[in-house]
Amino acid sequence: MVVAKPRLEISGGRRLHGELRVSGAKNSALVLMAACLLTTDNLRLRNVPPLTDITAMGEILAALGVGVVRSGDAIDLDGGHITQAAPPYELVNSLRASFFCIGPLLARMGMAQVPLPGGCQIGSRPVVEHVKGLKALGAQVTIEHGVVTAVVPGRDHRLTGGHIHLDCPSVGATETLMMAAALADGETTIENAAQEPEVVDLANLLIAMGARIRGAGTPTITIDGVRTLHGADYAVIPDRIEAGTFLLAAAITRSTLRVAPVIPEHLGAVLTKLEDAGCRLTPDGEGVILSTERIRALDLTTQPFPGFPTDLQAPFMSLLATAEGTSFIVENIFENRLQHVAELQRMGASIRMNGNTACVEGVARLSGAPVHGTDLRASAAMVLAGLAADGVTTVRGLEYLDRGYADLEGKLNAVGASIRRLSDDA
Ligand code: EPZ
């Protein structure tokens, strides 16, 4: 039987008005959930977004023996009775972020066995830095048949603080190693650490749990290991990528919209580029009001934070496809994160590719077409393009979209968009 794949049907060309509310950050909540493995106390996380990835992470933790109770935007995680140190293969395969369990499990149990998180549409997604760092903390790590097995030798199976210099400022490696080092014996320094807001959010949670961490948000993080960590009640930061996507929805429809909450420091490079493109941004309490009539071309290069985030490269390209002039967009972070170009070309965008650089010549109007989102952010980019295009755009690939955006069509329809979610047999 063919499973009906849902799709969004977007009638474009409509102005938006009102306010878009930003949920808690997916890329923070996922790693904060894994931190529950570091304590036998209850960990309460608030402002947790209702996403399929969050549900999947909850299932993985429950399979390890964690008590998982969701109530509204809060989730209670009780890591007091972990029954095993190996999340089940079939669950891990559905969620790359499950690899965040390896550091805490190793620090708590002295061993961990986690399947390698495979590559995905945007790249090979290696975990070399994660493994190198765990070895620097005294773990013996082997990779066989697609499974990473880490063991801490010695009587008390406790990791030992050490010096780690990351070859690249990997977000996941920085987060994994910060969690592992939190319970290690002695001091750990992580050089060339990732500086993303989600790294800082994790450090703040660990500190609330009793960890001793300095320098999160800078290239050098120092962790003084402690014997135990206690529970906490902690609110996840707003999702800067969802906020950026909403600001782009206002810009691409030439609308005036309020987006809230927004932490400007989390979106510095993005706000600067939106202003360079001709948007007026007005801080308004915990939010930002964006308005614009025209969009100018500009050049964009993705970089680790505080540079322009790779997760907003595709959505921003949709905007520049409708700009006046020619833009150059360079994707430096992932090796295969320009697949949305072909989809935008189907909508009439004029884009030429050269390696990891896209030359985007703005057109007056995109035209609605059936398109496919090839990853989470490419799917969002297709929705944005559909909002601006003449006629109807059909977006498939919602299995990706729903991982990072909770009820995107509902939120956009509430501010004047016209989007229907249909299944293929409709
Ligand atoms: C996190 O992925 C985010 N995911 C990604 O968001 C985000 O795009 C990425 O950081 C970069 O900001 C989560 O937080 C769950 P990396 P992560 O390790 O940790 C290379 C989204 O759309 N690298 O910083 O996997 C790697 O290949 C997702 O929400 C190595 O070469 O990213 C990539 O090219 C997509 N060796 C670059 O670094 C390593 O050992 C950035 O990867 C590790 C990474």
Side-chain angles (χ1 to χ4, degrees), residues 26-27 125-126 128-129 170-172 310-311 333-334 337 377:
K26 164 183 85 86
N27 288 350
R125 311 296 293 273
V128 171
E129 297 301 311
S170 159
V171 173
T310 173
D311 292 348
I333 303 298
F334 288 106
R337 203 172 200 178
R377 308 303 174 182

Side-chain angles (χ1 to χ4, degrees), residues 28-78:
S28 185
L30 288 170
V31 65
L32 267 55
M33 288 174 73
C36 78
L37 297 166
L38 291 168
T39 177
T40 57
D41 291 351
N42 185 70
L43 174 61
R44 161 160 282 217
L45 297 176
R46 287 174 285 107
N47 197 35
V48 177
L51 298 168
T52 54
D53 272 10
I54 299 295
T55 305
M57 182 59 113
E59 288 165 359
I60 288 162
L61 293 170
L64 294 172
V66 173
V68 180
V69 178
R70 183 92 202 232
S71 48
D73 79 349
I75 193 163
D76 286 291
L77 301 161
D78 177 0

Side-chain angles (χ1 to χ4, degrees), residues 227-250:
R227 287 298 297 184
T228 59
L229 292 175
H230 51 73
D233 181 332
Y234 189 85
V236 177
I237 54 173
D239 193 315
R240 62 192 170 102
I241 305 302
E242 186 186 39
T245 307
F246 288 168
L247 290 168
L248 285 162

Side-chain angles (χ1 to χ4, degrees), residues 169-181:
S170 159
V171 173
T174 302
E175 294 167 337
T176 294
L177 298 171
M178 219 165 38
M179 290 190 285

Side-chain angles (χ1 to χ4, degrees), residues 69-121:
V69 178
R70 183 92 202 232
S71 48
D73 79 349
I75 193 163
D76 286 291
L77 301 161
D78 177 0
H81 311 285
I82 296 175
T83 53
Q84 58 166 313
Y89 191 94
E90 64 283 355
L91 287 179
V92 168
N93 243 5
S94 70
L95 178 68
R96 297 193 74 263
S98 53
F99 200 69
F100 282 134
C101 297
I102 194 167
L105 282 173
L106 192 59
R108 167 86 178 274
M109 314 277 281
M111 74 88 63
Q113 193 164 57
V114 184
L116 265 184
C120 68
Q121 306 76 15

